[in-house]
Amino acid sequence: MEWVFNSYYTLIAATIVLLVGKIMVNKIKFLQNFNIPEPVAGGLVAAIILYFLHSFYGVSFKFEKPLQDTFMLIFFSSIGLSADFSRLKAGGLPLVIFTAIVGFFIFIQNAVGVGLASVLGLDPLIGLMTGSITLTGGHGTAGAWGPDFEKNFGLTGATGLGLAAATFGLVAGGLIGGPVARRLINKMGRQPLDEASIKAQEAAYDDDDPGKSTEDLFEHAEQTRLITASSAIETLAMFAACLAFAEIMDSIDKEHLYDLPKFVWALGGGVILRNILTIVFKFNMFDRAIDVFGNASLSLFLAMALLNLKLWELTGLAGPVTIILLAQTLVMVLYATFVTYVLMGRNYDAAVLAAGHCGFGMGATPTAVANMQSVTERFGASHKAFLIVPMVGAFFVDLINVVILTSFVNFIK
């Protein structure tokens, strides 16, 4: 027996999932410590409930996907619309070096995933789903590539597998980042801040002035962000333009180009639109609105994707996939310690960058920021790390990931 939910009921169910997730994150310390997103917490509970209903009563649920796909495209458009080329000068050479380090790690991550999947007798595409698609890419990229693998390559349960692997990565990234950085910092002999210094640092970050620049929002995570009705309408118009661009380019791509996933064109459209408006027309972008709409869309997309997570399709893969994910975690620790830290200068900033790389190399940019905050709260600020990691983790990594993943898919198939 299958219960079908149309788009309206799917949206209602997704908001319930988000509310449940919010309550869980507020009440459960473990979820707070490892920065587990609210849609992931609530969505996994929903997926487990649906699994038991299917197992004991034979009931399954089908949630229609048009809204889910739209929210996914809006999220990737927000990444593109946040990519201001004029800000790249501030990062300088360290930004270029760190981007190269991250790009090479994405290649290694996929090579490890595909290699182990082949050794364990699995489809090599499962290696990509337990590689940079889910670990470096996170839930958003997993939800975007999963349906593509299911439709074009017949990889049953790819989306569910991807979301499960991405959840593992979030937890693992939060677990390993702090200890890796602290071990490196201890080897330097750097001492933690005393109580007076910690209070002074906290006071410096306590600023809710809405007129203040938002370029350091990751360091000032609690800073107030105000949105007006006119800025909201302007932002929605830009999202609509990105989605229209993605629709047009996706049709052309399928006929004449490489048949890339549609979200790639939404992201690219955002990059083009952002920089034409700011460079050519000197338009003042309202980044707060882009960030809010993008994050809200990501939350709704993840909630809907997890509602469609069919756990019963994944039980046979649990053992081999766990082996691959544990191996990926070890590779991340070694790479952050002996490559990221060394090439970024073997100093305090490099140690904080290593913690950040563990965060988005296994999970997502918010995990990276949480890792760095846990280190800097104890050992002092690192403005260099907070400048570089958000730029690379929120934008460059997605573009590099798409290029490398497309190459791997073409090679495998």
Side-chain angles (χ1 to χ4, degrees), residues 148 152 250 253-261 265:
D148 190 61
N152 296 327
D250 187 57
D253 184 29
K254 282 180 166 56
E255 292 290 332
H256 306 291
L257 299 175
Y258 302 104
D259 197 14
L260 296 172
W265 295 112

Side-chain angles (χ1 to χ4, degrees), residues 366-382:
T367 309
V369 173
N371 283 352
M372 295 192 299
Q373 287 173 340
S374 71
V375 176
T376 56
E377 285 171 3
R378 182 168 175 78
F379 292 96
S382 173

Side-chain angles (χ1 to χ4, degrees), residues 117-181:
S118 301
V119 169
L120 294 169
L122 303 176
D123 189 321
L125 289 176
I126 292 177
L128 294 182
M129 291 303 297
T130 51
S132 72
I133 289 178
T134 57
L135 301 180
T136 294
H139 287 85
T141 308
W145 281 89
D148 190 61
F149 279 12
E150 292 171 349
K151 179 181 177 181
N152 296 327
F153 303 112
L155 188 62
T156 303
T159 304
L161 171 63
L163 294 172
T167 301
F168 173 93
L170 271 178
V171 177
L175 279 170
I176 65 177
V180 165

Side-chain angles (χ1 to χ4, degrees), residues 101-116:
I101 290 169
V102 169
F104 187 62
F105 178 71
I106 291 173
F107 177 84
I108 290 176
Q109 202 168 52
N110 286 320
V112 170
V114 170
L116 285 176

